Amino acid sequence: MHYGDNLDVARTLPDGAFAIAYLDPPFNTGRDRETDESRRGVSIAARTEPETWIAAAAEPEDGALLGHPDGADISAPDGRGREPRAVAHAGFHGRGYERVRGALRTFDDRFDDYWGFLVPRIEEAWRLLADDGTLYLHLDYREAHYAKVMLDAVFGRDCFLNELIWAYDYGAKSRSRWPTKHDTILVYVKDPDRYWFDSGAVDREPYMAPGLVTREKARRGKLPTDVWWHTIVPTNGSERTGYATQKPEGILRRIVQASSRPGDRVLDMFAGSGTTGAVAADLGRDAILIDDNPDAVRVMGERIPDARVVLRRPAR
């Protein structure tokens, strides 16, 4: 368990060490969020743009790479080199990703701050994944569509595996629009020819209409699809820690079961209440948990007594 800035900590970890990288960053709700840059007084305009975003000098043909007419991946000879893919993929109707990002920034100045914070962490997650590893990026409806574009740029569109929908029915409901009761988890693999996915290891769930299947099938249950109906952590549930953004163990259990083997290592860069670590320990995996919130570190320490703090955040 690391107490510190997740980008700083991630840069100290070895390449290819993890079967899963799970990122559950703060959602871009529009509320003020103190970042390391704001604490240091660095303005958004003065910050160096992440090298992933390469400005487009000209409009490429749809499906081509910027500056490379035949669409080859210029980041590595075989298309799967040791560097994240440069943003040379063409975007919507031939516009490069930098142009898409620039257009989004025109409409919402919060976008640049949020993605300026998140993209370097996604790039580190790519580096830290094993060749058969999988990224799970957990967001809400505000950023999921932008995230798909950005992840296509960093990982490559052929590395997209799934869009998971976690649906729940709890809390207040709007009367002026359809109530928003789901999160989105985008799933990308390091190498589309080598990734690990074991559906047989995933806990089955009841059929919604058991009378329509045989008694044997109803008894065994069915494999989950890409829509997961799962309650949030109940207020009086045994796993509840009191941490505000705690995710239920059932969601992380499916992720860890499907995309890792016993003995593998799992990374959670926004560890919060430590759900990933608790699930990993229960399933025989090792976990590296990172958070810069002292309350999170305290909750994780109480929840996972065997966890060891290996890096303390330096005093500001």
Side-chain angles (χ1 to χ4, degrees), residues 102-286:
L104 293 170
R105 191 169 53 204
T106 300
F107 293 106
D108 186 356
D109 60 5
R110 293 169 302 189
F111 179 87
D112 189 64
D113 184 32
Y114 186 72
W115 285 99
F117 164 79
L118 191 55
V119 166
R121 288 155 173 85
I122 292 174
E123 291 176 335
E124 281 301 307
W126 186 96
R127 179 184 66 81
L128 293 170
L129 282 174
D131 288 340
D132 61 355
T134 307
L135 171 81
Y136 287 81
L137 178 61
H138 190 147
L139 297 166
D140 73 355
Y141 65 93
R142 297 175 183 88
E143 297 297 333
H145 305 89
Y146 305 143
K148 177 66 169 64
V149 177
M150 302 308 178
L151 286 169
D152 283 349
V154 175
F155 276 72
R157 295 187 69 175
D158 58 334
C159 294
F160 171 68
L161 189 67
N162 274 111
E163 177 191 39
L164 301 175
I165 301 299
W166 168 31
Y168 42 84
D169 189 14
Y170 182 83
K173 294 181 174 64
S174 172
R175 294 181 179 273
S176 60
R177 62 173 182 170
W178 298 110
T180 305
K181 296 296 175 183
H182 78 276
D183 287 359
T184 299
I185 305 174
L186 296 174
V187 187
Y188 279 73
V189 297
K190 182 75 167 281
D191 185 334
D193 296 326
R194 299 179 61 183
Y195 69 93
W196 176 262
F197 186 85
D198 184 2
S199 62
V202 178
D203 293 338
R204 290 176 174 260
E205 62 182 10
Y207 281 92
M208 296 182 69
L212 299 180
V213 299
T214 66
R215 182 177 299 177
E216 174 61 19
K217 282 188 174 182
R219 183 188 65 80
R220 288 191 300 120
K222 69 180 183 70
L223 289 172
T225 66
D226 58 358
V227 178
W228 296 356
W229 287 94
H230 196 294
T231 183
I232 64 171
V233 179
T235 55
N236 58 350
S238 60
E239 69 182 79
R240 185 171 180 82
T241 66
Y243 197 80
T245 59
Q246 181 181 352
K247 299 302 185 292
E249 291 184 4
I251 296 298
L252 271 300
R253 188 175 182 87
R254 290 180 180 178
I255 290 171
V256 174
Q257 286 174 327
S259 295
S260 67
R261 311 168 184 85
D264 279 346
R265 300 178 79 190
V266 177
L267 173 68
D268 189 337
M269 295 177 67
F270 299 87
S273 67
T275 297
T276 302
V279 168
D282 185 57
L283 294 175
R285 277 72 161 171
D286 295 326

Side-chain angles (χ1 to χ4, degrees), residues 45-123:
R47 183 181 57 224
T48 301
E49 290 291 320
E51 63 182 2
T52 303
W53 314 118
I54 298 176
E59 295 285 351
E61 295 181 4
D62 192 20
L65 290 175
L66 301 179
H68 205 293
D70 64 4
D73 188 341
I74 59 176
S75 66
D78 63 356
R80 297 190 188 97
R82 303 308 302 170
E83 296 294 333
R85 301 186 182 205
V87 180
H89 299 278
F92 306 112
H93 302 294
R95 288 185 296 167
Y97 283 106
E98 172 61 21
R99 291 180 180 271
V100 173
R101 179 172 177 265
L104 293 170
R105 191 169 53 204
T106 300
F107 293 106
D108 186 356
D109 60 5
R110 293 169 302 189
F111 179 87
D112 189 64
D113 184 32
Y114 186 72
W115 285 99
F117 164 79
L118 191 55
V119 166
R121 288 155 173 85
I122 292 174
E123 291 176 335

